[in-house]
Amino acid sequence: MPPAGISIRIRVRMSARPIDEPHRVSSQLELLFDLTFVVAVAAVTAEFAHSVAEGHGLAGLVPFLQVFFAIWWAWMNFTWFASSYDTDDVLYRLLTLVQMAGVLTLAAGVPAAATHSDYRIVALGYVIMRIGLVAQWVRAGLEDQARRRTALRYAVGMTVAQLGWLLWLLIAEMGILSSFSGLPFFVCLVVLELAVPWWAERTRATAWHPHHIAERYGLFTIILLGESVLAVSQGVAGALEADGVKGPLVAVAGCGLVLLFALWWLYFLVEAGEGLSGRRDRSYLWGYGHYGIFAALAALGAGLEVAVEQSGHDVAASPLAIGYAVAVPVGVYLAVLWAVHALVAGAPVVHPAAAMGCVALIWALPFAAPWLGVAGVVAAITAVCVVLVAVSIMTAAGGRGAARRQSPQVVES
C-alpha cells in the first residue's frame, strides 16, 4: 500500500470531465508543461530583439510570427485537450512528457528558423509533439465512446495537417518554393490547422471547462509578461556593461515595468470564465483571438529589450524604429484585448472609443522620438496605458454601483 496521502493513478479510463466540475484548476503537470514554453518564447523573443536592434525589425517580423504561431498552437492543442480529458494517470503523464520534449526541440530550432529560415529542427519538434498529442486523441477515441468520432477526427485532422507541414518543408528544401510563394503556402496550412477543431467538434463538442480554460490563458499571459520582464532585465544588463547607469536607462526600465503592470491589470479586468460559461459558442473567436494578445506581448518584450539596450550604447536601429517596436505591440494588444473581452463580457469594461483612441495615440507617439527620445516615447506610452487603466477601473466601479442600485431591495418585516 502507498503511504497515506499519496495518490498513484496507474490506469484511469479516459472519459470527458464534467464542464461544471467545482474548483477545477490547473494541475501541477500543466504548470510543468508551461515551463517548456518559457524556453521557447524566450528563444523567439531574443531572436526578434536581435533583428530589431540591427535595424531589420520588419524583415524579422514574419519569421517571428511564424515561429510564434507554432509555439502558441502547440500550447493551445494541449491546453484544450487537457481541459476535456486530463486523467493524470501514468500513460497520460508519459505522453505529456513526449510533448514537452517536442517543445524543447522546437525551442532549439528557433535561432535557425528566425535567422536563416531553416525550419527543420522546428518541424522535428512539431512531429514529436504531434506524436504525443495524436496518441492522446486516439486513446480518447478508444475509451470515450460518446465522443469517439470527435476524438478520432482530431487525430486524423492533426495527422493530415502535420503531413502538410512536412510537405511544405520538403518542397522548400528542394527549392521549389520561393520566399514569395512560401508564405501563402504557410498561411494555407495555418488555416487548415485552425479548421481542425471546428471540423472535429461538428459531430459533438468536447467537454472543456470554461473556468479552467480561462485560468490557463491567464497563466500563459503571465508567462509572456514575465518574458518581457526578463527581456528588460537583459537589456539593463547589456546597457550597464557598456556604459553604466544613466537617466534614460532608469526611465526606460522603470516605465517598462509600469507598462507591463498596466497591461496585466487590463487583461484581468474581465472574468473570462463566467463569460465563457454562458457563451461557449464564442470560444473559437475568444481562443484564437489570443494569438494577437500573446504575440503582441512577446514582441513587446523584444521592443523593450532594445529600448533599454540603446539607452546604454548605440544600436543600429533608429529611435523611430525602436519607438514603433514598443508602440505597435502595445496598440495591437489593446485592440485585440478589447475585442476578446467584448466576446465574453456582459458589458464592456473598456469603452471602444477609449480603447481605439489610446491605440491611435500610442501609434502616433513614436513620431516624437527625435524630440522626446526613446525614453520619452516609452514614458508617454506608459502614461496612456495607466490612464486607460484608471478610466477602466472607474467604469467598472460605476457599472457595479448601477447594478446594485437596480437590484431589488430586500424589505425586512
Side-chain angles (χ1 to χ4, degrees), residues 95 99 129-140 151 154-159 162:
L95 289 174
Q99 296 176 71
M129 286 187 291
R130 281 287 165 82
I131 289 173
L133 187 59
V134 169
Q136 294 275 42
W137 278 114
V138 170
R139 180 187 175 192
Y154 266 109
V156 170
M158 289 179 176
T159 301
Q162 186 59 49

Side-chain angles (χ1 to χ4, degrees), residues 128-273:
I128 296 171
M129 286 187 291
R130 281 287 165 82
I131 289 173
L133 187 59
V134 169
Q136 294 275 42
W137 278 114
V138 170
R139 180 187 175 192
L142 294 174
E143 299 183 10
D144 184 11
Q145 187 174 3
R147 292 176 172 82
R148 177 168 297 170
R149 288 187 63 194
T150 300
L152 294 181
R153 279 191 173 202
Y154 266 109
V156 170
M158 289 179 176
T159 301
V160 171
Q162 186 59 49
L163 292 175
W165 289 115
L166 293 177
L167 176 62
W168 172 66
L169 180 63
L170 176 62
I171 60 179
E173 289 292 321
M174 294 173 62
I176 299 175
L177 279 180
S178 65
S179 58
F180 177 77
S181 58
L183 183 58
F185 202 121
F186 180 91
V187 172
C188 290
L189 288 172
V190 167
V191 173
L192 175 61
E193 289 278 9
L194 297 178
V196 168
W198 174 82
W199 172 70
E201 304 219 6
R202 290 185 65 187
T203 55
R204 184 171 183 179
T206 52
W208 52 271
H209 194 291
H211 292 278
H212 174 253
I213 287 293
E215 183 194 27
R216 297 291 293 127
Y217 273 72
L219 289 173
F220 201 67
T221 300
I222 291 174
I223 286 175
L224 288 163
L225 289 167
E227 293 288 357
S228 294
V229 173
L230 174 62
V232 170
S233 68
Q234 290 174 335
V236 169
L240 289 177
E241 187 176 319
D243 204 18
V245 179
K246 289 185 175 181
L249 170 65
V250 176
V252 175
C255 289
L257 180 60
V258 175
L259 173 61
L260 295 174
F261 188 74
L263 299 183
W264 166 83
W265 200 318
L266 288 169
Y267 183 89
F268 289 100
L269 279 174
V270 172
E271 173 52 57

Side-chain angles (χ1 to χ4, degrees), residues 40-50 64 110 224 227 231 297-299 301-302 305:
V41 173
V44 72
T45 300
E47 290 298 326
F48 188 52
H50 185 66
F64 164 78
V110 166
L224 288 163
E227 293 288 357
L297 287 176
E305 179 177 347

Side-chain angles (χ1 to χ4, degrees), residues 210-211 214-215 267 269-277 286 290 341 344:
H211 292 278
E215 183 194 27
Y267 183 89
L269 279 174
V270 172
E271 173 52 57
E274 289 296 328
L276 286 171
S277 297
W286 184 87
H290 271 75
H341 278 174
V344 297

Side-chain angles (χ1 to χ4, degrees), residues 17 21-35 75 78-84 86-88 92-93 96 209-223 267-268 286:
R17 297 183 63 157
E21 182 180 345
H23 311 298
R24 178 75 188 277
V25 295
S26 299
S27 68
Q28 291 88 345
L29 181 60
E30 287 176 308
L31 299 178
L32 179 63
F33 180 80
D34 285 352
L35 289 181
W75 179 86
F78 172 80
T79 296
W80 288 81
F81 176 85
S83 189
S84 302
D86 186 356
T87 57
D88 198 34
Y92 180 88
R93 291 187 175 192
T96 301
H209 194 291
H211 292 278
H212 174 253
I213 287 293
E215 183 194 27
R216 297 291 293 127
Y217 273 72
L219 289 173
F220 201 67
T221 300
I222 291 174
I223 286 175
Y267 183 89
F268 289 100
W286 184 87

